[in-house]
Each structure stands twice: as structure tokens, then as C-alpha cells.
Amino acid sequence: MSRRCELTGKGPMSGNNVSHAKNRTRRRFLPNLQDVTLKSDTLGRTFKFKISNAALRTVDHRGGLDAFMAKAKDVELSANALKVKKEIAKATAA
């Protein structure tokens, strides 16, 4: 599985280690990914996602998984998260 957040699409970035002598060597900055279980209020189920800490804070800020998915862009979501978003949208429409 790739090191990519399923909700925001945040992935590894590249940069430099810079020593005191200003020697530069390439390195990777990895996102802080966590395995979490989020509950959907409309569906009454839980879903497992591998998301970044920043995404987890955003989900809490927006008021839960359902509110986050309503505003999320389809391009940023993983295939699994996109499926959950469509289920939530269908349940709220009905």
C-alpha cells in the first residue's frame, strides 16, 4: 500500500538534508499516516481508513465523516473513500 492519505491525497515530498557545512543530500518527507476507524452517522457503520493526522483534524473540524465527504473533492479521494462518499450521498438523498 502506498504512503498516501486516503482522504486528502497527501503523499511523500522530497527535499534536502542540509548539514552544518551546507552539504545537501536528498531525502523524503513522509506524511504522518494513521490507521483510523471513522463512523458515518447517516449509514450507522464504521469505515477503516489510512489517513494523515492533518486529515483527521479536518474531519473533526468539519463535524464528522459525513460532513467531510460532502465537501471533499473526488480527485483527492482514494477508490475506497470515493465508494463511501457515494454511499453517504445516496443515503442522504433518500
Side-chain angles (χ1 to χ4, degrees), residues 69-70 72-74 77 81-89:
M69 289 294 195
K73 296 177 183 171
D74 292 349
L77 298 175
L82 194 58
K83 195 183 301 182
V84 172
K85 179 181 178 178
K86 289 183 179 178
E87 283 182 43
I88 292 171

Side-chain angles (χ1 to χ4, degrees), residues 56-76:
L56 185 59
R57 292 180 65 214
T58 306
V59 168
D60 287 340
H61 179 74
R62 288 192 184 167
L65 181 64
D66 300 337
F68 179 87
M69 289 294 195
K71 290 185 178 181
K73 296 177 183 171
D74 292 349
V75 179
E76 295 174 346

Side-chain angles (χ1 to χ4, degrees), residues 36-40 43 45-49 65 84 87:
V36 296
T37 304
L38 298 173
K39 185 173 191 240
S40 169
L43 299 175
R45 304 176 28 204
T46 59
F47 298 97
K48 283 189 152 194
F49 293 112
L65 181 64
V84 172
E87 283 182 43

Side-chain angles (χ1 to χ4, degrees), residues 4-84:
R4 188 163 294 278
C5 177
E6 292 189 61
L7 298 184
T8 59
K10 184 180 283 193
M13 294 172 48
S14 61
N16 290 313
N17 278 329
V18 182
S19 71
H20 187 70
K22 301 288 192 274
N23 296 331
R24 288 172 170 81
T25 54
R26 297 302 284 177
R27 60 159 294 182
R28 291 177 68 186
F29 293 95
L30 299 176
N32 187 7
L33 296 180
Q34 308 294 328
D35 289 318
V36 296
T37 304
L38 298 173
K39 185 173 191 240
S40 169
D41 294 329
T42 54
L43 299 175
R45 304 176 28 204
T46 59
F47 298 97
K48 283 189 152 194
F49 293 112
K50 192 170 193 176
I51 64 174
S52 64
N53 257 10
L56 185 59
R57 292 180 65 214
T58 306
V59 168
D60 287 340
H61 179 74
R62 288 192 184 167
L65 181 64
D66 300 337
F68 179 87
M69 289 294 195
K71 290 185 178 181
K73 296 177 183 171
D74 292 349
V75 179
E76 295 174 346
L77 298 175
S78 68
N80 184 27
L82 194 58
K83 195 183 301 182
V84 172

